Amino acid sequence: MLRVEHIGIAVKSLQDSVPLFEKLLNTPCYKTETVESEAVNTAFFRQGETKIELLESTKPEGVIQAFIAKKGEGIHHLAFEVEDIAAEMERLKKEGFVLLNETPKKGADNKLVCFLHPKSTNAVLIELCQENRR
Ligand code: ZN
């Protein structure tokens, strides 16, 4: 894995949390994007080499809404950038980690992504991401 690409934070409302993080980080949100397949609206901030991704549910039955209902707002996942997502998925699978998707899927910010089940990673939801070069 190359680096922590971003940290995902579940929030109830981007409208409330974007200005808060703009003040906190002293940098403007540079991008918002809806990922329909994940039922999330996202907002991104750059902080040095790493980004902060705020995640807001687009619907009551979405995964972010379910997370907030269970655990409240807060850190949702850690995303590691990888050079070759297919190879890394293969490696982690062999090591016994549970992949939440068997093939890389399109995530926010022009990435191919794969999530690892938290039951196999000390309860931390891990995202692998690779720049989508196509
Ligand atoms: Zn993410």
Side-chain angles (χ1 to χ4, degrees):
M1 309 217 195
L2 301 173
R3 63 181 171 120
V4 175
E5 210 278 337
H6 65 268
I7 297 167
I9 298 175
V11 302
K12 287 179 186 161
S13 158
L14 286 185
Q15 203 188 324
D16 293 341
S17 296
V18 165
L20 187 143
F21 275 82
E22 285 180 332
K23 269 187 260 176
L24 176 69
L25 302 172
N26 197 24
T27 188
C29 169
Y30 71 92
K31 170 151 83 170
T32 57
E33 186 181 347
T34 298
V35 184
E36 293 290 353
S37 58
E38 303 290 312
V40 292
N41 293 320
T42 64
F44 286 90
F45 302 84
R46 276 185 229 283
Q47 198 69 172
E49 279 282 279
T50 303
K51 296 166 192 160
I52 300 293
E53 174 186 36
L54 300 183
L55 303 144
E56 170 198 73
S57 195
T58 60
K59 52 186 184 187
E61 66 274 26
V63 288
I64 292 301
Q65 193 49 48
F67 176 89
I68 290 173
K70 203 170 157 194
K71 298 187 172 176
E73 293 179 294
I75 293 180
H76 178 258
H77 64 273
L78 284 183
F80 293 99
E81 183 174 27
V82 297
E83 187 63 42
D84 179 343
I85 194 166
E88 198 63 15
M89 286 168 68
E90 190 64 35
R91 182 185 75 80
L92 291 165
K93 208 171 157 179
K94 278 197 191 123
E95 293 285 2
F97 294 95
V98 179
L99 309 181
L100 286 177
N101 46 295
E102 288 295 315
T103 53
K105 58 182 179 179
K106 264 188 73 99
D109 204 25
N110 193 37
K111 299 280 196 269
L112 290 173
V113 304
C114 174
F115 286 92
L116 305 186
H117 197 295
K119 76 179 179 190
S120 64
T121 55
N122 267 184
V124 180
L125 180 60
I126 303 287
E127 174 186 346
L128 307 176
C129 62
Q130 176 202 304
E131 200 71 39
N132 191 355
R133 299 176 192 106
R134 274 161 292 173

